[in-house]
Amino acid sequence: MYYFFILLLGLATPCLAQVSAGHLRCANRVNPLGIDDAHPSFSWQLSGKGHNILQTAYEIRMNEGFTTGKVYSSNSIGIRYSGPPLAPGTNYSWQVRVWDNRGNMSSWSRPAWFQTGLQVPGNWKAQWIVAGFPEDSVNRPPPVFRKEWMISKKIKSATLFITAHGLYEATLNGQRIGEAYFTPGWTSYDHRLQYQVYHLTLKEGKNQVQITVGDGWWRGIFGGAMTNNHYGKDAALLFQLQIEYADGTSNSILSDSSWQSGAGPICYSDLYNGEVYDQQMKAISWTGVKTAAGYSKGNLVATISEPVTRQEVLPPVKIFRDPNGEQLLDFGQNISGWVRFQPRGKAGDTIAITHAEALDKEGNFYTGNLRAAKARDVYVLDGEPTQHLEPHFTFHGFRYIRVEGWQGELHPGDFEAVALYSNLDRTGSFTCSNPLLNQLQHNITWSQNDNFLDIPTDCPQRSERYGWTGDAQIFARTASFNRNVHSFLSKWLKDLAADQGSNGGMSVIIPDLNGHGNTGPKKGVAGWGDAATIVPWTLFQAYGDTSVLEAQYASMKGWVDYIRSCVDTSHGDYLWKAEGYGDWLAPDTLQTPVPFISQCYFAWSAHLLALTAGALHRMEDSLYYTGLYEKVRATFLKEYIPLPPTQTGQVLPLYFDLLPDSLRIAAVEKLVALIRTHHDHLSTGFLGTPYLLPVLTRYGYTDLAYRVLLQETPPSWLYPVKMGATTIWEKWDAITPDGTVGDKSLNHYAYGAVGDWLYREVAGIAEEEPGYRTIRIQPHVGGGLQFVRASYECPYGKIVSEWKMEKGRMRLHVEIPPNTRAVVYWPENEAGAPQKIGSGVYDFWAGMGAVKKKIGLTNVSFKEFIYNFGF
Ligand code: RAM
């Protein structure tokens, strides 16, 4: 039994101090460059002393003279710009002030700014250029493009708009431009090629830019078949620099036929195999360039997500020789990125660095799970005292490296592993009294880091690294706790929509590497294609942003209509029998039938679409898809009762609420029995795993959920932890107890989807309505945990939920940010009412009498959880 209290924060404490507005975001980012949205969104957070701060009004003003005037609204996130049309390539600064519920007015916030992009293809004056020299068709060294020019006036500002077919790295007067790597990123290039915007510091006199364009996803070797030229044959550059002078004049430096090109010191580069770099190549022999008038500018779009940047830099924890005598370094953490090192050797020495995730059973360097990826960077040294070396247009998933060709001793200080991934704000933290669970959380966050390299990938090491849709949809909820994935996943969803088939069908990977040119019909796989509905819905829950739903609506609808179109309804049934991957990698010999899974997802997607239509006030659609959902569900009940006797066979219908009350109890009991026959172990694969513990908790079996979570023998989450994993494995026993490393990835975030349960149910932080305007705090004690500390930076600010056991009682500590409310549920409290302490900080003490009680099924209706969004 749970009591709940609604903290109506608008009521209680008297006015103590001024309110202020800070943490300004435009389009979810800090001072973004290159905004092409005509109505970018503004968000801010309130702060102030004392309890119960709510916003009652706001005013936004811009340097251009635009002001919203005082708007009576409690909204502080996602406010759309509503002023006069924004000009291209222009810097706008903005400020906000707010009024609170005690009549306080804040002062104007510190200014924030954003710079608009080029907005329309017609504003691109630059021309696409390609190398003018005959290319070595085997190695295809990335071309270097060069332009020099003089400046004789005082410069006011210089703004660069740049993109490439391939991956570019640009320097201005020898200095790298910007901190972004793997630009322009990977998108559905035919429809959406991103450009980036940089503010440059030019000098009076001679200026020079050099841009190297690597093969990347555009034309490099990529995909299981190790073929190249997926999007085109040439590496090409588009460069437009707008210079404003102090005297009010301006001019542009544009990529055109006046540029030069040459082969540079990077002799070879691709994402899987690695890079070859010749330090001895000192001077580039320059020739002209060719313009490529036929290359499109119609697909150019502004970049909405955060760039990939350098993140952690790790020193080696061990330098050693393996039993085979190979020279190895261990960096102690499985990462995505590369190794930066101080070369030592003489002219002509060749150093090769190969990357691996693991050592084999005998302790030897193991690359058997990389498939065709060579993951090898090769450097030919010039023998001169020199700076550090590192690759440019490749990345590797690794913890260990093998060094070949090194003369003499290796010094730990000469090597470091550089993690590279999308620079998303860290939003969540979770720690508890169980070190193994803390390591699990560590592994989840690292698999997220390593696989959020511009797109959400399945794995970062082998010759795959695709945006597998199934993996992304099951992990999205967890991902949104750990980091701010709002823009990152919104960007990927745009590619999902762009690559969707004309019939709404979907490739299982996005961007659709193999079928990107296909504008006709495509097929679809349950649990994978459903990323089209589940990911937007997940973002809506986390960020309260209906614009994601709006932007994806056609795609969501397209997907559900696609499934509907596969169904033969002539006998009144709505049965989707699609084949697919099923409960991928489920360890049980008895597998959950794929058509059953398809039917579950058909219902779930129809249901989420109906809710989405409701949230967007499309009432006709809402009714239609609710009706469709009911029919799909009715067919499900007709066809699939009794449920397949697997854990996933119970979990999906329970989580998706496909069963009438009369069948739920039996399904829950069956699930419990199936777990018991597996000696309190899970037996679920990719699709069943994320919902297993949430279902157990929902139906009052939190104790059992903890037991399953805390198992240390496979299949379990903690078995890899006990085996020394530093990331989440693709398969429960990717390394078997005798130390045999199979052919599976050791860095797949899918099973890390349990992270959602850790935040939501163990720490008890959840959205009571989308975007956390109302927060639910409902921790679940168990598993012998003595304390849990979690925090989550929601759009309004920081939420904290911490609990600890003290002398048989539970102390719950809660903090919630201004402009939110919370509903706090906690175990029956013998001690009475909660106490408030400090600003937005609350402490509760609960007697533990009720903790072990099962929640009656009637108290926990699915509808409460899913429909209770307040609209
Ligand atoms: C594997 C991928 C991915 C999974 C698919 C079905 O090759 O690694 O994780 O979604 O297959």
Side-chain angles (χ1 to χ4, degrees):
M1 185 193 306
Y2 281 72
Y3 293 126
F4 73 89
F5 288 77
I6 299 180
L7 307 177
L8 286 174
L9 299 185
L11 299 178
T13 335
C15 162
L16 292 176
Q18 280 286 354
V19 64
S20 62
H23 203 267
L24 272 59
R25 297 283 186 274
C26 174
N28 308 319
R29 286 185 294 152
V30 184
N31 300 335
L33 290 174
I35 295 288
D36 272 357
D37 187 340
H39 306 284
S41 69
F42 298 117
S43 303
W44 55 88
Q45 292 179 2
L46 271 62
S47 57
K49 290 216 178 76
H51 276 99
N52 311 331
I53 298 164
L54 292 171
Q55 178 186 297
T56 54
Y58 69 82
E59 180 177 3
I60 298 170
R61 74 175 180 194
M62 290 182 38
N63 59 339
E64 301 290 291
F66 169 73
T67 163
T68 59
K70 184 173 178 181
V71 179
Y72 288 90
S73 166
S74 57
N75 288 343
S76 54
I77 60 169
I79 314 292
R80 292 277 157 189
Y81 171 72
S82 57
L86 298 166
T90 307
N91 225 309
Y92 292 89
S93 81
W94 65 285
Q95 289 171 289
V96 63
R97 63 176 169 184
V98 297
W99 285 260
D100 71 11
N101 48 328
R102 296 98 178 235
N104 293 320
M105 181 184 75
S106 75
S107 44
W108 285 106
S109 68
R110 303 240 301 267
W113 48 266
F114 65 95
Q115 161 117 28
T116 50
L118 285 181
Q119 294 179 341
V120 288
N123 288 334
W124 283 94
K125 305 294 175 212
Q127 299 172 51
W128 279 108
I129 53 173
V130 298
F133 59 91
E135 197 170 59
D136 157 2
S137 59
V138 181
N139 287 322
R140 305 208 301 194
V144 186
F145 297 93
R146 173 171 89 157
K147 173 77 181 175
E148 286 180 356
W149 75 102
M150 294 296 293
I151 293 184
S152 52
K153 292 197 274 190
K154 214 164 158 357
I155 304 144
K156 190 174 138 217
S157 68
T159 309
L160 171 62
F161 303 85
I162 181 173
T163 189
H165 290 174
L167 301 173
Y168 71 82
E169 189 169 66
T171 60
L172 166 67
N173 301 324
Q175 298 290 317
R176 192 178 199 279
I177 295 177
E179 291 170 359
Y181 288 80
F182 304 103
T183 44
W186 190 13
T187 46
S188 168
Y189 289 137
D190 317 69
H191 310 98
R192 303 183 355 93
L193 172 60
Q194 300 181 134
Y195 64 91
Q196 283 79 40
V197 182
Y198 303 93
H199 285 162
L200 302 189
T201 308
L202 304 177
K203 57 180 191 197
E204 281 184 52
K206 192 171 92 175
N207 286 273
Q208 188 201 62
V209 284
Q210 274 196 23
I211 299 104
T212 310
V213 180
D215 286 1
W217 296 282
W218 184 275
R219 69 163 193 165
I221 287 178
F222 207 74
M226 299 296 277
T227 52
N228 61 11
N229 295 345
H230 290 281
Y231 293 92
K233 285 204 189 81
D234 294 313
L237 173 69
L238 188 66
F239 179 104
Q240 181 158 327
L241 174 60
Q242 286 176 196
I243 310 170
E244 313 276 334
Y245 298 98
D247 64 5
T249 58
S250 62
N251 74 332
S252 302
I253 302 296
L254 306 173
S255 49
D256 60 20
S257 57
S258 71
W259 285 53
Q260 292 174 301
S261 65
I266 303 174
C267 312
Y268 176 88
S269 183
D270 84 49
L271 290 161
Y272 292 159
N273 288 327
E275 211 161 277
V276 180
Y277 187 88
D278 185 357
Q279 237 193 340
Q280 291 183 312
M281 136 90 88
K282 294 294 175 196
I284 295 177
S285 96
W286 296 104
T287 56
V289 298
K290 285 186 271 189
T291 57
Y295 288 178
S296 174
K297 293 179 196 165
N299 56 348
L300 296 173
V301 293
T303 304
I304 63 164
S305 59
E306 297 80 355
V308 174
T309 59
R310 303 171 88 91
Q311 304 282 341
E312 291 83 353
V313 173
L314 308 173
V317 294
K318 200 172 158 197
I319 297 188
F320 61 108
R321 284 194 185 272
D322 66 10
N324 285 339
E326 302 203 288
Q327 180 67 69
L328 307 188
L329 278 78
D330 174 3
F331 291 97
Q333 173 62 48
N334 202 12
I335 67 164
S336 280
W338 58 50
V339 166
R340 178 174 183 266
F341 73 104
Q342 172 69 60
R344 296 185 196 281
K346 48 184 195 321
D349 280 359
T350 299
I351 310 287
I353 297 180
T354 312
H355 304 72
E357 290 190 294
L359 304 179
D360 70 11
K361 199 164 139 187
E362 283 75 38
N364 288 311
F365 194 67
Y366 183 77
T367 54
N369 64 343
L370 300 187
R371 296 194 180 160
K374 291 201 184 77
R376 191 163 191 259
D377 298 328
V378 179
Y379 301 86
V380 181
L381 304 188
D382 63 4
E384 290 169 20
T386 179
Q387 303 218 324
H388 288 83
L389 291 175
E390 63 184 7
H392 305 78
F393 304 116
T394 189
F395 66 88
H396 310 291
F398 69 102
R399 168 176 167 172
Y400 300 91
I401 57 166
R402 174 178 62 205
V403 181
E404 292 164 290
W406 192 274
Q407 308 296 326
E409 280 292 291
L410 291 181
H411 300 288
D414 286 347
F415 291 84
E416 57 192 25
V418 182
L420 289 136
Y421 52 84
S422 288
N423 191 28
L424 313 182
D425 283 346
R426 222 180 267 274
T427 46
S429 70
F430 177 94
T431 49
C432 67
S433 58
N434 183 332
L436 297 178
L437 281 186
N438 293 340
Q439 183 66 34
L440 173 66
Q441 168 66 11
H442 169 101
N443 296 358
I444 295 169
T445 56
W446 268 100
S447 277
Q448 176 169 348
N449 295 343
D450 296 340
N451 282 296
F452 273 33
L453 195 150
D454 203 55
I455 64 154
T457 56
D458 59 333
C459 58
Q461 74 297 83
R462 68 187 180 208
S463 49
E464 190 155 15
R465 314 184 201 180
Y466 294 152
W468 277 95
T469 48
D471 307 43
Q473 71 87 356
I474 60 185
F475 189 67
R477 283 156 58 107
T478 300
S480 74
F481 273 114
N482 289 326
R483 288 185 184 267
N484 185 342
V485 298
H486 195 164
S487 301
F488 177 87
L489 288 178
S490 299
K491 169 232 176 202
W492 182 72
L493 284 173
K494 286 178 188 288
D495 295 305
L496 181 148
D499 276 343
Q500 209 163 352
S502 56
N503 59 344
M506 287 243 313
S507 161
V508 288
I509 58 166
I510 297 294
D512 185 1
L513 184 78
N514 303 313
H516 62 91
N518 171 8
T519 51
K522 292 185 181 178
K523 291 187 174 167
V525 168
W528 273 254
D530 300 281
T533 49
I534 294 172
V535 177
W537 186 253
T538 303
L539 291 181
F540 174 52
Q541 298 309 303
Y543 305 111
D545 178 6
T546 46
S547 70
V548 177
L549 297 181
E550 203 63 80
Q552 295 304 125
Y553 191 71
S555 155
M556 297 171 85
K557 201 160 141 29
W559 170 246
V560 174
D561 290 347
Y562 159 74
I563 305 176
R564 165 74 183 72
S565 74
C566 298
V567 165
D568 172 9
T569 56
S570 53
H571 303 292
D573 284 344
Y574 284 74
L575 200 56
W576 187 34
K577 286 198 159 162
E579 281 308 308
Y581 303 113
D583 192 20
W584 186 243
L585 297 181
D588 218 342
T589 38
L590 188 65
Q591 292 286 312
T592 311
V594 179
F596 163 87
I597 288 176
S598 301
Q599 191 69 10
C600 291
Y601 271 93
F602 184 11
W604 186 235
S605 273
H607 177 60
L608 294 184
L609 180 58
L611 291 179
T612 300
L616 297 177
H617 308 292
R618 297 171 193 250
M619 294 335 273
E620 225 171 276
D621 276 8
S622 178
L623 285 176
Y624 171 78
Y625 290 105
T626 303
L628 179 63
Y629 159 72
E630 292 298 349
K631 288 177 203 136
V632 176
R633 183 166 172 257
T635 306
F636 173 83
L637 294 174
K638 191 169 145 201
E639 210 51 43
Y640 292 113
I641 304 296
L643 299 171
T646 61
Q647 293 180 15
T648 296
Q650 320 307 307
V651 165
L652 292 184
L654 283 167
Y655 190 85
F656 294 163
D657 196 33
L658 302 180
L659 304 174
D661 283 351
S662 57
L663 295 178
R664 277 196 213 172
I665 297 217
V668 173
E669 282 170 0
K670 179 76 183 170
L671 174 62
V672 170
L674 286 166
I675 294 172
R676 297 256 149 84
T677 31
H678 286 80
H679 309 288
D680 291 354
H681 282 72
L682 53 79
S683 64
T684 47
F686 273 32
L687 299 183
T689 299
Y691 303 140
L692 175 65
L693 303 191
V695 160
L696 289 174
T697 298
R698 182 184 295 172
Y699 292 103
Y701 286 92
T702 296
D703 282 1
L704 182 58
Y706 270 113
R707 275 207 298 287
V708 173
L709 174 73
L710 295 175
Q711 290 300 338
E712 296 176 12
T713 50
S716 72
W717 283 283
L718 296 187
Y719 165 70
V721 169
K722 290 291 271 189
M723 293 293 283
T726 61
T727 40
I728 302 293
W729 296 347
E730 177 180 18
K731 194 169 169 238
W732 294 116
D733 60 349
I735 301 178
T736 50
D738 70 355
T740 305
V741 192
D743 59 357
K744 289 288 184 260
S745 149
L746 303 181
N747 204 353
H748 251 65
Y749 51 54
Y751 290 145
V754 70
D756 178 67
W757 189 78
L758 297 179
Y759 281 104
R760 197 178 288 268
E761 308 295 353
V762 176
I765 299 176
E767 72 287 351
E768 183 77 4
E769 66 172 311
Y772 293 83
R773 185 69 163 270
T774 309
I775 297 156
R776 174 159 57 92
I777 302 288
Q778 187 177 14
H780 290 84
V781 173
L785 296 183
Q786 289 306 302
F787 70 84
V788 168
R789 292 191 204 111
S791 67
Y792 175 60
E793 186 74 33
C794 80
Y796 298 91
K798 195 174 193 176
I799 303 168
V800 174
S801 173
E802 297 180 0
W803 58 260
K804 65 176 175 184
M805 305 307 296
E806 266 178 29
K807 298 187 188 126
R809 295 206 303 162
M810 174 202 186
R811 177 178 182 269
L812 171 64
H813 172 86
V814 175
E815 297 175 28
I816 61 167
N819 216 19
T820 62
R821 297 152 188 256
V823 186
V824 180
Y825 302 74
W826 80 97
E828 185 177 7
N829 182 357
E830 289 152 14
Q835 300 167 9
K836 289 179 190 172
I837 55 157
S839 165
V841 176
Y842 301 85
D843 271 352
F844 306 92
W845 287 90
M848 294 302 298
V851 162
K852 293 215 156 53
K853 268 192 207 159
K854 254 186 241 166
I855 303 172
L857 289 180
T858 45
N859 287 350
V860 191
S861 132
F862 169 82
K863 299 253 179 322
E864 258 172 52
F865 282 83
I866 298 299
Y867 288 110
N868 188 10
F869 298 132
F871 47 72

